Amino acid sequence: MAIRDLRDFLAVLDTAGELHRVDAEVDSELEISCITDRQSKLPGGGKALLFQNVKGSSHPVATNLFGSPSRMALALQVEHLSLLSGKMERLLAAPESAPAPILVGQAPCQEVIERHPDLGRYPFLKSWPDDGGRFITLPLVFTRDPETSLVNCGMYRVRIFDDGCVGIRWKQGSGGFAHHSKYLAAGLPMPVAIAVGAAPALTLAAMLPLPERLDEVSFAGYLNGTPVAMVPSLGSALQVPAEAELVIEGVIDPGATRYEGAFGNHTGSYDPGEEVPLVRVTCVTRRKDPICPATVVGPPPMEDCYLAKAAERLLLPLLRRQCPEIVDLVMPVEGIFHGCAVISIEKKTAGQGRRVLESLRGEGWLKRGKLLVVVDETREGLTLAHGFWQALNAVRFPADLVVTPDGCLGVDATGKFPEEGGEQKQLLQPDASVSAQVERRWREYGFH
């Protein structure tokens, strides 16, 4: 059955023995994040956590929901994350199979309407001691292009300033940034809706750099196997997920900004923050008893590492369309999404490894990767250990290095053809007849 909302997902995790309930009183300032950090560092990613007694709030907090390969597979209803690549291939071959959302008139996310917002009642987290304040770390931010009316659903961190104002951090190149730029140029107020707590498929979709022809809500419906139910927001033409836990509606007045303060990041240090667009909150709609999901980012391994692994499998088919010679890729968890990637290719011509690097640097979701390593395909399948072993043995310093002006590194660690200055090497392979004999006699040796 489809996982339609956060509550369905919590029930699935509970049935699988992947959910731990914390009944003791905890503080949303630092304590919940400290517990979550320790849990995420346990073997296998620990458990998903549901804090049911949060100091100063009547609303529970859920963290570490996606913090293991098994929980990510449960979230997306696949036996193994490797199956996501095939699912994406099928969608790219038939984009019309992504179901359009269903518009409904009434929704759980609007059971309660707060015309005078009181954001202080919600247990949004302060995760690290020197953070500028409290942040919403799993928001689904909905915006609309004022020229084309196309909608974007992105995940951009949201800083809570006070009961009536929040700030949104979106980066240049994102859909939200592009929409805001157009409103700003036209001198128009920009409507924004921030949904908190939705189906896992939509949470993941909001993080992905999808092709323009695939909108996030329809893509989530495809992953989930059923269309996403949406409901009109109260203050604008935007639509929001009907099954969300709560929705913050607001407006960005032209030129309105505020400094967001520092934010503890996956780099293990604080992002100093910047001036961000300021959202004047006009209303909050919610369920009667909302649950506030959150993620804590910091030194890996943490929850975002496993979200990145799902993204890796889903986005591999996009890389193959950009560079058909790509066979596979693997991203170490320490890289968090696009920080580092090892890419294997079927090399047929001289210079092909470098051309792949140049293409990946020029466009696509890996173009900002700090370290990209291209290696030859392997019969055993690409692993991080094999990729780096192959790279360290094949790379020629500094000839095979490509450094971009912004300091990113590419490594062409493919085997070099003679016309590239390489030499023909005889690869190690066991004797075929002896290998067959060992296979037949394996149990005879006392192995099982």
PDB file of all heavy atoms in Angstrom, residues 172-174 209 315 319 322 329 331 337-341 343 356-372 402-410:
ATOM      1  N   GLN A 172      21.489  30.069  -5.592  1.00  0.00           N
ATOM      2  CA  GLN A 172      21.412  30.395  -7.012  1.00  0.00           C
ATOM      3  C   GLN A 172      21.404  29.109  -7.827  1.00  0.00           C
ATOM      4  O   GLN A 172      22.156  28.180  -7.565  1.00  0.00           O
ATOM      5  CB  GLN A 172      22.607  31.256  -7.406  1.00  0.00           C
ATOM      6  CG  GLN A 172      22.519  31.786  -8.821  1.00  0.00           C
ATOM      7  CD  GLN A 172      23.607  32.811  -9.111  1.00  0.00           C
ATOM      8  OE1 GLN A 172      24.368  33.170  -8.227  1.00  0.00           O
ATOM      9  NE2 GLN A 172      23.669  33.277 -10.348  1.00  0.00           N
ATOM     10  N   GLY A 173      20.509  29.047  -8.797  1.00  0.00           N
ATOM     11  CA  GLY A 173      20.358  27.849  -9.613  1.00  0.00           C
ATOM     12  C   GLY A 173      19.171  27.011  -9.211  1.00  0.00           C
ATOM     13  O   GLY A 173      18.741  26.139  -9.967  1.00  0.00           O
ATOM     14  N   SER A 174      18.617  27.252  -8.030  1.00  0.00           N
ATOM     15  CA  SER A 174      17.451  26.486  -7.585  1.00  0.00           C
ATOM     16  C   SER A 174      16.176  27.100  -8.146  1.00  0.00           C
ATOM     17  O   SER A 174      16.135  28.260  -8.559  1.00  0.00           O
ATOM     18  CB  SER A 174      17.385  26.467  -6.058  1.00  0.00           C
ATOM     19  OG  SER A 174      17.132  27.772  -5.546  1.00  0.00           O
ATOM     20  N   PRO A 209      17.489  17.360  -7.982  1.00  0.00           N
ATOM     21  CA  PRO A 209      17.544  18.250  -9.144  1.00  0.00           C
ATOM     22  C   PRO A 209      16.911  17.575 -10.354  1.00  0.00           C
ATOM     23  O   PRO A 209      17.592  17.078 -11.252  1.00  0.00           O
ATOM     24  CB  PRO A 209      19.051  18.467  -9.329  1.00  0.00           C
ATOM     25  CG  PRO A 209      19.675  17.201  -8.826  1.00  0.00           C
ATOM     26  CD  PRO A 209      18.787  16.713  -7.710  1.00  0.00           C
ATOM     27  N   LEU A 315      19.300   9.277  -9.658  1.00  0.00           N
ATOM     28  CA  LEU A 315      19.862  10.228 -10.605  1.00  0.00           C
ATOM     29  C   LEU A 315      20.865   9.604 -11.564  1.00  0.00           C
ATOM     30  O   LEU A 315      21.254  10.236 -12.555  1.00  0.00           O
ATOM     31  CB  LEU A 315      20.514  11.382  -9.846  1.00  0.00           C
ATOM     32  CG  LEU A 315      19.524  12.217  -9.010  1.00  0.00           C
ATOM     33  CD1 LEU A 315      20.268  13.254  -8.181  1.00  0.00           C
ATOM     34  CD2 LEU A 315      18.478  12.890  -9.892  1.00  0.00           C
ATOM     35  N   LEU A 319      22.481  10.816 -15.478  1.00  0.00           N
ATOM     36  CA  LEU A 319      23.874  10.906 -15.902  1.00  0.00           C
ATOM     37  C   LEU A 319      24.108  10.104 -17.172  1.00  0.00           C
ATOM     38  O   LEU A 319      24.872  10.513 -18.049  1.00  0.00           O
ATOM     39  CB  LEU A 319      24.795  10.389 -14.800  1.00  0.00           C
ATOM     40  CG  LEU A 319      24.933  11.227 -13.527  1.00  0.00           C
ATOM     41  CD1 LEU A 319      25.957  10.589 -12.599  1.00  0.00           C
ATOM     42  CD2 LEU A 319      25.345  12.653 -13.843  1.00  0.00           C
ATOM     43  N   GLN A 322      23.157  12.032 -20.107  1.00  0.00           N
ATOM     44  CA  GLN A 322      24.127  13.081 -20.370  1.00  0.00           C
ATOM     45  C   GLN A 322      25.394  12.502 -21.000  1.00  0.00           C
ATOM     46  O   GLN A 322      25.938  13.077 -21.948  1.00  0.00           O
ATOM     47  CB  GLN A 322      24.474  13.783 -19.054  1.00  0.00           C
ATOM     48  CG  GLN A 322      25.425  14.951 -19.190  1.00  0.00           C
ATOM     49  CD  GLN A 322      25.675  15.627 -17.848  1.00  0.00           C
ATOM     50  OE1 GLN A 322      24.954  15.407 -16.872  1.00  0.00           O
ATOM     51  NE2 GLN A 322      26.711  16.452 -17.790  1.00  0.00           N
ATOM     52  N   LEU A 329      27.968   4.728 -10.741  1.00  0.00           N
ATOM     53  CA  LEU A 329      28.670   5.672  -9.891  1.00  0.00           C
ATOM     54  C   LEU A 329      28.458   5.291  -8.443  1.00  0.00           C
ATOM     55  O   LEU A 329      27.515   4.568  -8.108  1.00  0.00           O
ATOM     56  CB  LEU A 329      28.207   7.120 -10.106  1.00  0.00           C
ATOM     57  CG  LEU A 329      27.009   7.638  -9.295  1.00  0.00           C
ATOM     58  CD1 LEU A 329      27.068   9.143  -9.171  1.00  0.00           C
ATOM     59  CD2 LEU A 329      25.704   7.214  -9.943  1.00  0.00           C
ATOM     60  N   MET A 331      28.886   7.285  -4.499  1.00  0.00           N
ATOM     61  CA  MET A 331      29.227   8.499  -3.772  1.00  0.00           C
ATOM     62  C   MET A 331      29.471   8.136  -2.319  1.00  0.00           C
ATOM     63  O   MET A 331      28.579   7.588  -1.658  1.00  0.00           O
ATOM     64  CB  MET A 331      28.095   9.524  -3.885  1.00  0.00           C
ATOM     65  CG  MET A 331      27.781   9.934  -5.311  1.00  0.00           C
ATOM     66  SD  MET A 331      26.612  11.321  -5.436  1.00  0.00           S
ATOM     67  CE  MET A 331      25.168  10.640  -4.622  1.00  0.00           C
ATOM     68  N   PHE A 337      25.576  13.916  -0.775  1.00  0.00           N
ATOM     69  CA  PHE A 337      25.008  14.230  -2.071  1.00  0.00           C
ATOM     70  C   PHE A 337      26.097  14.362  -3.137  1.00  0.00           C
ATOM     71  O   PHE A 337      26.642  13.362  -3.549  1.00  0.00           O
ATOM     72  CB  PHE A 337      24.098  15.469  -2.006  1.00  0.00           C
ATOM     73  CG  PHE A 337      22.777  15.159  -1.332  1.00  0.00           C
ATOM     74  CD1 PHE A 337      22.620  15.341   0.031  1.00  0.00           C
ATOM     75  CD2 PHE A 337      21.725  14.631  -2.043  1.00  0.00           C
ATOM     76  CE1 PHE A 337      21.427  15.021   0.663  1.00  0.00           C
ATOM     77  CE2 PHE A 337      20.522  14.301  -1.432  1.00  0.00           C
ATOM     78  CZ  PHE A 337      20.376  14.502  -0.070  1.00  0.00           C
ATOM     79  N   HIS A 338      26.494  15.557  -3.575  1.00  0.00           N
ATOM     80  CA  HIS A 338      27.361  15.655  -4.746  1.00  0.00           C
ATOM     81  C   HIS A 338      28.797  16.028  -4.400  1.00  0.00           C
ATOM     82  O   HIS A 338      29.567  16.396  -5.286  1.00  0.00           O
ATOM     83  CB  HIS A 338      26.791  16.689  -5.721  1.00  0.00           C
ATOM     84  CG  HIS A 338      26.542  18.034  -5.095  1.00  0.00           C
ATOM     85  ND1 HIS A 338      25.278  18.473  -4.827  1.00  0.00           N
ATOM     86  CD2 HIS A 338      27.380  18.995  -4.651  1.00  0.00           C
ATOM     87  CE1 HIS A 338      25.340  19.670  -4.259  1.00  0.00           C
ATOM     88  NE2 HIS A 338      26.618  20.012  -4.148  1.00  0.00           N
ATOM     89  N   GLY A 339      29.215  15.954  -3.150  1.00  0.00           N
ATOM     90  CA  GLY A 339      30.562  16.388  -2.780  1.00  0.00           C
ATOM     91  C   GLY A 339      31.662  15.585  -3.443  1.00  0.00           C
ATOM     92  O   GLY A 339      32.708  16.114  -3.800  1.00  0.00           O
ATOM     93  N   CYS A 340      31.434  14.272  -3.607  1.00  0.00           N
ATOM     94  CA  CYS A 340      32.447  13.406  -4.206  1.00  0.00           C
ATOM     95  C   CYS A 340      31.732  12.263  -4.915  1.00  0.00           C
ATOM     96  O   CYS A 340      30.738  11.733  -4.403  1.00  0.00           O
ATOM     97  CB  CYS A 340      33.382  12.861  -3.121  1.00  0.00           C
ATOM     98  SG  CYS A 340      34.571  11.624  -3.704  1.00  0.00           S
ATOM     99  N   ALA A 341      32.233  11.892  -6.080  1.00  0.00           N
ATOM    100  CA  ALA A 341      31.643  10.771  -6.815  1.00  0.00           C
ATOM    101  C   ALA A 341      32.729  10.058  -7.605  1.00  0.00           C
ATOM    102  O   ALA A 341      33.620  10.694  -8.188  1.00  0.00           O
ATOM    103  CB  ALA A 341      30.546  11.260  -7.765  1.00  0.00           C
ATOM    104  N   ILE A 343      32.932   7.596 -10.810  1.00  0.00           N
ATOM    105  CA  ILE A 343      32.085   7.243 -11.954  1.00  0.00           C
ATOM    106  C   ILE A 343      32.824   6.240 -12.821  1.00  0.00           C
ATOM    107  O   ILE A 343      33.966   6.482 -13.206  1.00  0.00           O
ATOM    108  CB  ILE A 343      31.745   8.503 -12.788  1.00  0.00           C
ATOM    109  CG1 ILE A 343      31.096   9.578 -11.921  1.00  0.00           C
ATOM    110  CG2 ILE A 343      30.862   8.154 -13.968  1.00  0.00           C
ATOM    111  CD1 ILE A 343      31.991  10.734 -11.600  1.00  0.00           C
ATOM    112  N   VAL A 356      34.259  13.011 -20.387  1.00  0.00           N
ATOM    113  CA  VAL A 356      33.177  12.789 -19.427  1.00  0.00           C
ATOM    114  C   VAL A 356      33.286  13.784 -18.275  1.00  0.00           C
ATOM    115  O   VAL A 356      32.295  14.387 -17.850  1.00  0.00           O
ATOM    116  CB  VAL A 356      33.194  11.336 -18.907  1.00  0.00           C
ATOM    117  CG1 VAL A 356      32.281  11.175 -17.700  1.00  0.00           C
ATOM    118  CG2 VAL A 356      32.774  10.371 -20.010  1.00  0.00           C
ATOM    119  N   LEU A 357      34.485  13.973 -17.760  1.00  0.00           N
ATOM    120  CA  LEU A 357      34.694  14.946 -16.692  1.00  0.00           C
ATOM    121  C   LEU A 357      34.251  16.338 -17.119  1.00  0.00           C
ATOM    122  O   LEU A 357      33.562  17.050 -16.372  1.00  0.00           O
ATOM    123  CB  LEU A 357      36.165  14.982 -16.282  1.00  0.00           C
ATOM    124  CG  LEU A 357      36.670  13.902 -15.336  1.00  0.00           C
ATOM    125  CD1 LEU A 357      38.180  14.026 -15.168  1.00  0.00           C
ATOM    126  CD2 LEU A 357      35.981  13.987 -13.980  1.00  0.00           C
ATOM    127  N   GLU A 358      34.626  16.737 -18.300  1.00  0.00           N
ATOM    128  CA  GLU A 358      34.272  18.071 -18.785  1.00  0.00           C
ATOM    129  C   GLU A 358      32.761  18.224 -18.930  1.00  0.00           C
ATOM    130  O   GLU A 358      32.198  19.280 -18.618  1.00  0.00           O
ATOM    131  CB  GLU A 358      34.981  18.343 -20.106  1.00  0.00           C
ATOM    132  CG  GLU A 358      36.490  18.499 -19.957  1.00  0.00           C
ATOM    133  CD  GLU A 358      37.212  18.540 -21.287  1.00  0.00           C
ATOM    134  OE1 GLU A 358      36.550  18.272 -22.323  1.00  0.00           O
ATOM    135  OE2 GLU A 358      38.426  18.823 -21.309  1.00  0.00           O
ATOM    136  N   SER A 359      32.090  17.163 -19.378  1.00  0.00           N
ATOM    137  CA  SER A 359      30.638  17.215 -19.514  1.00  0.00           C
ATOM    138  C   SER A 359      29.969  17.332 -18.148  1.00  0.00           C
ATOM    139  O   SER A 359      29.061  18.147 -17.954  1.00  0.00           O
ATOM    140  CB  SER A 359      30.138  15.967 -20.242  1.00  0.00           C
ATOM    141  OG  SER A 359      28.720  15.963 -20.303  1.00  0.00           O
ATOM    142  N   LEU A 360      30.427  16.532 -17.194  1.00  0.00           N
ATOM    143  CA  LEU A 360      29.837  16.560 -15.859  1.00  0.00           C
ATOM    144  C   LEU A 360      30.081  17.893 -15.177  1.00  0.00           C
ATOM    145  O   LEU A 360      29.246  18.363 -14.398  1.00  0.00           O
ATOM    146  CB  LEU A 360      30.399  15.421 -15.004  1.00  0.00           C
ATOM    147  CG  LEU A 360      30.085  13.997 -15.486  1.00  0.00           C
ATOM    148  CD1 LEU A 360      30.735  12.971 -14.565  1.00  0.00           C
ATOM    149  CD2 LEU A 360      28.581  13.764 -15.567  1.00  0.00           C
ATOM    150  N   ARG A 361      31.225  18.503 -15.445  1.00  0.00           N
ATOM    151  CA  ARG A 361      31.517  19.810 -14.870  1.00  0.00           C
ATOM    152  C   ARG A 361      30.689  20.913 -15.533  1.00  0.00           C
ATOM    153  O   ARG A 361      30.396  21.947 -14.922  1.00  0.00           O
ATOM    154  CB  ARG A 361      33.000  20.143 -15.042  1.00  0.00           C
ATOM    155  CG  ARG A 361      33.912  19.411 -14.083  1.00  0.00           C
ATOM    156  CD  ARG A 361      33.763  19.941 -12.696  1.00  0.00           C
ATOM    157  NE  ARG A 361      34.684  19.306 -11.774  1.00  0.00           N
ATOM    158  CZ  ARG A 361      34.389  19.010 -10.532  1.00  0.00           C
ATOM    159  NH1 ARG A 361      33.184  19.261 -10.068  1.00  0.00           N
ATOM    160  NH2 ARG A 361      35.279  18.462  -9.734  1.00  0.00           N
ATOM    161  N   GLY A 362      30.303  20.687 -16.777  1.00  0.00           N
ATOM    162  CA  GLY A 362      29.608  21.732 -17.513  1.00  0.00           C
ATOM    163  C   GLY A 362      28.139  21.857 -17.176  1.00  0.00           C
ATOM    164  O   GLY A 362      27.581  22.960 -17.191  1.00  0.00           O
ATOM    165  N   GLU A 363      27.493  20.735 -16.855  1.00  0.00           N
ATOM    166  CA  GLU A 363      26.059  20.773 -16.568  1.00  0.00           C
ATOM    167  C   GLU A 363      25.680  19.552 -15.749  1.00  0.00           C
ATOM    168  O   GLU A 363      26.442  18.605 -15.599  1.00  0.00           O
ATOM    169  CB  GLU A 363      25.258  20.801 -17.879  1.00  0.00           C
ATOM    170  CG  GLU A 363      25.460  19.573 -18.757  1.00  0.00           C
ATOM    171  CD  GLU A 363      24.603  19.590 -20.002  1.00  0.00           C
ATOM    172  OE1 GLU A 363      23.464  20.082 -19.921  1.00  0.00           O
ATOM    173  OE2 GLU A 363      25.066  19.128 -21.058  1.00  0.00           O
ATOM    174  N   GLY A 364      24.464  19.599 -15.239  1.00  0.00           N
ATOM    175  CA  GLY A 364      23.952  18.461 -14.478  1.00  0.00           C
ATOM    176  C   GLY A 364      24.218  18.587 -12.990  1.00  0.00           C
ATOM    177  O   GLY A 364      24.848  19.518 -12.507  1.00  0.00           O
ATOM    178  N   TRP A 365      23.727  17.603 -12.253  1.00  0.00           N
ATOM    179  CA  TRP A 365      23.698  17.707 -10.794  1.00  0.00           C
ATOM    180  C   TRP A 365      25.039  17.452 -10.133  1.00  0.00           C
ATOM    181  O   TRP A 365      25.209  17.698  -8.935  1.00  0.00           O
ATOM    182  CB  TRP A 365      22.636  16.763 -10.229  1.00  0.00           C
ATOM    183  CG  TRP A 365      22.863  15.314 -10.515  1.00  0.00           C
ATOM    184  CD1 TRP A 365      22.585  14.656 -11.667  1.00  0.00           C
ATOM    185  CD2 TRP A 365      23.393  14.338  -9.630  1.00  0.00           C
ATOM    186  NE1 TRP A 365      22.922  13.333 -11.560  1.00  0.00           N
ATOM    187  CE2 TRP A 365      23.405  13.111 -10.310  1.00  0.00           C
ATOM    188  CE3 TRP A 365      23.846  14.365  -8.312  1.00  0.00           C
ATOM    189  CZ2 TRP A 365      23.861  11.930  -9.736  1.00  0.00           C
ATOM    190  CZ3 TRP A 365      24.291  13.182  -7.732  1.00  0.00           C
ATOM    191  CH2 TRP A 365      24.301  11.991  -8.444  1.00  0.00           C
ATOM    192  N   LEU A 366      26.043  16.978 -10.902  1.00  0.00           N
ATOM    193  CA  LEU A 366      27.373  16.785 -10.323  1.00  0.00           C
ATOM    194  C   LEU A 366      28.336  17.941 -10.619  1.00  0.00           C
ATOM    195  O   LEU A 366      29.509  17.869 -10.249  1.00  0.00           O
ATOM    196  CB  LEU A 366      28.000  15.486 -10.847  1.00  0.00           C
ATOM    197  CG  LEU A 366      27.483  14.182 -10.235  1.00  0.00           C
ATOM    198  CD1 LEU A 366      28.198  12.992 -10.870  1.00  0.00           C
ATOM    199  CD2 LEU A 366      27.684  14.161  -8.722  1.00  0.00           C
ATOM    200  N   LYS A 367      27.875  18.980 -11.252  1.00  0.00           N
ATOM    201  CA  LYS A 367      28.800  20.020 -11.707  1.00  0.00           C
ATOM    202  C   LYS A 367      29.465  20.763 -10.551  1.00  0.00           C
ATOM    203  O   LYS A 367      30.533  21.358 -10.731  1.00  0.00           O
ATOM    204  CB  LYS A 367      28.094  21.005 -12.634  1.00  0.00           C
ATOM    205  CG  LYS A 367      27.006  21.850 -11.994  1.00  0.00           C
ATOM    206  CD  LYS A 367      26.375  22.773 -13.032  1.00  0.00           C
ATOM    207  CE  LYS A 367      25.268  23.628 -12.436  1.00  0.00           C
ATOM    208  NZ  LYS A 367      24.639  24.498 -13.454  1.00  0.00           N
ATOM    209  N   ARG A 368      28.853  20.737  -9.350  1.00  0.00           N
ATOM    210  CA  ARG A 368      29.465  21.408  -8.202  1.00  0.00           C
ATOM    211  C   ARG A 368      30.225  20.429  -7.303  1.00  0.00           C
ATOM    212  O   ARG A 368      30.678  20.802  -6.216  1.00  0.00           O
ATOM    213  CB  ARG A 368      28.398  22.135  -7.386  1.00  0.00           C
ATOM    214  CG  ARG A 368      27.754  23.302  -8.104  1.00  0.00           C
ATOM    215  CD  ARG A 368      26.944  24.174  -7.162  1.00  0.00           C
ATOM    216  NE  ARG A 368      25.901  23.430  -6.487  1.00  0.00           N
ATOM    217  CZ  ARG A 368      24.687  23.222  -6.974  1.00  0.00           C
ATOM    218  NH1 ARG A 368      24.376  23.708  -8.157  1.00  0.00           N
ATOM    219  NH2 ARG A 368      23.779  22.540  -6.296  1.00  0.00           N
ATOM    220  N   GLY A 369      30.387  19.189  -7.741  1.00  0.00           N
ATOM    221  CA  GLY A 369      31.110  18.214  -6.934  1.00  0.00           C
ATOM    222  C   GLY A 369      32.553  18.632  -6.718  1.00  0.00           C
ATOM    223  O   GLY A 369      33.246  19.036  -7.652  1.00  0.00           O
ATOM    224  N   LYS A 370      33.036  18.520  -5.492  1.00  0.00           N
ATOM    225  CA  LYS A 370      34.405  18.941  -5.195  1.00  0.00           C
ATOM    226  C   LYS A 370      35.434  17.962  -5.747  1.00  0.00           C
ATOM    227  O   LYS A 370      36.551  18.345  -6.082  1.00  0.00           O
ATOM    228  CB  LYS A 370      34.578  19.089  -3.682  1.00  0.00           C
ATOM    229  CG  LYS A 370      33.770  20.237  -3.091  1.00  0.00           C
ATOM    230  CD  LYS A 370      34.029  20.378  -1.605  1.00  0.00           C
ATOM    231  CE  LYS A 370      33.246  21.560  -1.032  1.00  0.00           C
ATOM    232  NZ  LYS A 370      33.484  21.708   0.432  1.00  0.00           N
ATOM    233  N   LEU A 371      35.056  16.682  -5.837  1.00  0.00           N
ATOM    234  CA  LEU A 371      35.977  15.672  -6.358  1.00  0.00           C
ATOM    235  C   LEU A 371      35.204  14.675  -7.201  1.00  0.00           C
ATOM    236  O   LEU A 371      34.310  13.986  -6.695  1.00  0.00           O
ATOM    237  CB  LEU A 371      36.680  14.942  -5.211  1.00  0.00           C
ATOM    238  CG  LEU A 371      37.564  13.749  -5.601  1.00  0.00           C
ATOM    239  CD1 LEU A 371      38.697  14.191  -6.522  1.00  0.00           C
ATOM    240  CD2 LEU A 371      38.110  13.059  -4.359  1.00  0.00           C
ATOM    241  N   LEU A 372      35.532  14.607  -8.489  1.00  0.00           N
ATOM    242  CA  LEU A 372      34.951  13.632  -9.403  1.00  0.00           C
ATOM    243  C   LEU A 372      36.078  12.764  -9.948  1.00  0.00           C
ATOM    244  O   LEU A 372      37.072  13.287 -10.452  1.00  0.00           O
ATOM    245  CB  LEU A 372      34.209  14.309 -10.560  1.00  0.00           C
ATOM    246  CG  LEU A 372      33.071  15.270 -10.204  1.00  0.00           C
ATOM    247  CD1 LEU A 372      32.424  15.801 -11.483  1.00  0.00           C
ATOM    248  CD2 LEU A 372      32.032  14.607  -9.320  1.00  0.00           C
ATOM    249  N   VAL A 402      42.197  17.549 -13.500  1.00  0.00           N
ATOM    250  CA  VAL A 402      41.503  18.694 -14.088  1.00  0.00           C
ATOM    251  C   VAL A 402      41.012  19.555 -12.934  1.00  0.00           C
ATOM    252  O   VAL A 402      40.160  19.127 -12.155  1.00  0.00           O
ATOM    253  CB  VAL A 402      40.314  18.251 -14.961  1.00  0.00           C
ATOM    254  CG1 VAL A 402      39.618  19.465 -15.567  1.00  0.00           C
ATOM    255  CG2 VAL A 402      40.769  17.297 -16.055  1.00  0.00           C
ATOM    256  N   VAL A 403      41.544  20.758 -12.799  1.00  0.00           N
ATOM    257  CA  VAL A 403      41.169  21.658 -11.719  1.00  0.00           C
ATOM    258  C   VAL A 403      40.392  22.832 -12.296  1.00  0.00           C
ATOM    259  O   VAL A 403      40.854  23.495 -13.233  1.00  0.00           O
ATOM    260  CB  VAL A 403      42.407  22.168 -10.950  1.00  0.00           C
ATOM    261  CG1 VAL A 403      41.977  23.062  -9.784  1.00  0.00           C
ATOM    262  CG2 VAL A 403      43.247  20.994 -10.453  1.00  0.00           C
ATOM    263  N   THR A 404      39.204  23.071 -11.752  1.00  0.00           N
ATOM    264  CA  THR A 404      38.383  24.179 -12.245  1.00  0.00           C
ATOM    265  C   THR A 404      38.760  25.466 -11.521  1.00  0.00           C
ATOM    266  O   THR A 404      39.359  25.435 -10.444  1.00  0.00           O
ATOM    267  CB  THR A 404      36.891  23.875 -12.014  1.00  0.00           C
ATOM    268  OG1 THR A 404      36.655  23.742 -10.599  1.00  0.00           O
ATOM    269  CG2 THR A 404      36.484  22.583 -12.707  1.00  0.00           C
ATOM    270  N   PRO A 405      38.405  26.621 -12.083  1.00  0.00           N
ATOM    271  CA  PRO A 405      38.745  27.898 -11.444  1.00  0.00           C
ATOM    272  C   PRO A 405      38.189  28.036 -10.026  1.00  0.00           C
ATOM    273  O   PRO A 405      38.771  28.758  -9.208  1.00  0.00           O
ATOM    274  CB  PRO A 405      38.121  28.936 -12.389  1.00  0.00           C
ATOM    275  CG  PRO A 405      38.088  28.259 -13.721  1.00  0.00           C
ATOM    276  CD  PRO A 405      37.813  26.818 -13.419  1.00  0.00           C
ATOM    277  N   ASP A 406      37.074  27.345  -9.725  1.00  0.00           N
ATOM    278  CA  ASP A 406      36.507  27.453  -8.380  1.00  0.00           C
ATOM    279  C   ASP A 406      37.073  26.400  -7.429  1.00  0.00           C
ATOM    280  O   ASP A 406      36.576  26.217  -6.322  1.00  0.00           O
ATOM    281  CB  ASP A 406      34.982  27.352  -8.423  1.00  0.00           C
ATOM    282  CG  ASP A 406      34.491  26.065  -9.072  1.00  0.00           C
ATOM    283  OD1 ASP A 406      35.328  25.293  -9.583  1.00  0.00           O
ATOM    284  OD2 ASP A 406      33.267  25.830  -9.060  1.00  0.00           O
ATOM    285  N   GLY A 407      38.129  25.696  -7.851  1.00  0.00           N
ATOM    286  CA  GLY A 407      38.827  24.804  -6.935  1.00  0.00           C
ATOM    287  C   GLY A 407      38.325  23.389  -6.868  1.00  0.00           C
ATOM    288  O   GLY A 407      38.722  22.634  -5.963  1.00  0.00           O
ATOM    289  N   CYS A 408      37.478  22.981  -7.792  1.00  0.00           N
ATOM    290  CA  CYS A 408      37.005  21.600  -7.809  1.00  0.00           C
ATOM    291  C   CYS A 408      37.973  20.729  -8.628  1.00  0.00           C
ATOM    292  O   CYS A 408      38.567  21.199  -9.604  1.00  0.00           O
ATOM    293  CB  CYS A 408      35.603  21.525  -8.406  1.00  0.00           C
ATOM    294  SG  CYS A 408      34.349  22.352  -7.400  1.00  0.00           S
ATOM    295  N   LEU A 409      38.082  19.474  -8.222  1.00  0.00           N
ATOM    296  CA  LEU A 409      39.070  18.578  -8.828  1.00  0.00           C
ATOM    297  C   LEU A 409      38.396  17.442  -9.582  1.00  0.00           C
ATOM    298  O   LEU A 409      37.476  16.802  -9.065  1.00  0.00           O
ATOM    299  CB  LEU A 409      39.982  18.001  -7.730  1.00  0.00           C
ATOM    300  CG  LEU A 409      41.038  16.978  -8.174  1.00  0.00           C
ATOM    301  CD1 LEU A 409      42.041  17.626  -9.119  1.00  0.00           C
ATOM    302  CD2 LEU A 409      41.743  16.382  -6.957  1.00  0.00           C
ATOM    303  N   GLY A 410      38.877  17.200 -10.792  1.00  0.00           N
ATOM    304  CA  GLY A 410      38.474  16.029 -11.565  1.00  0.00           C
ATOM    305  C   GLY A 410      39.681  15.155 -11.822  1.00  0.00           C
ATOM    306  O   GLY A 410      40.783  15.664 -12.040  1.00  0.00           O
TER     307      GLY A 410
END
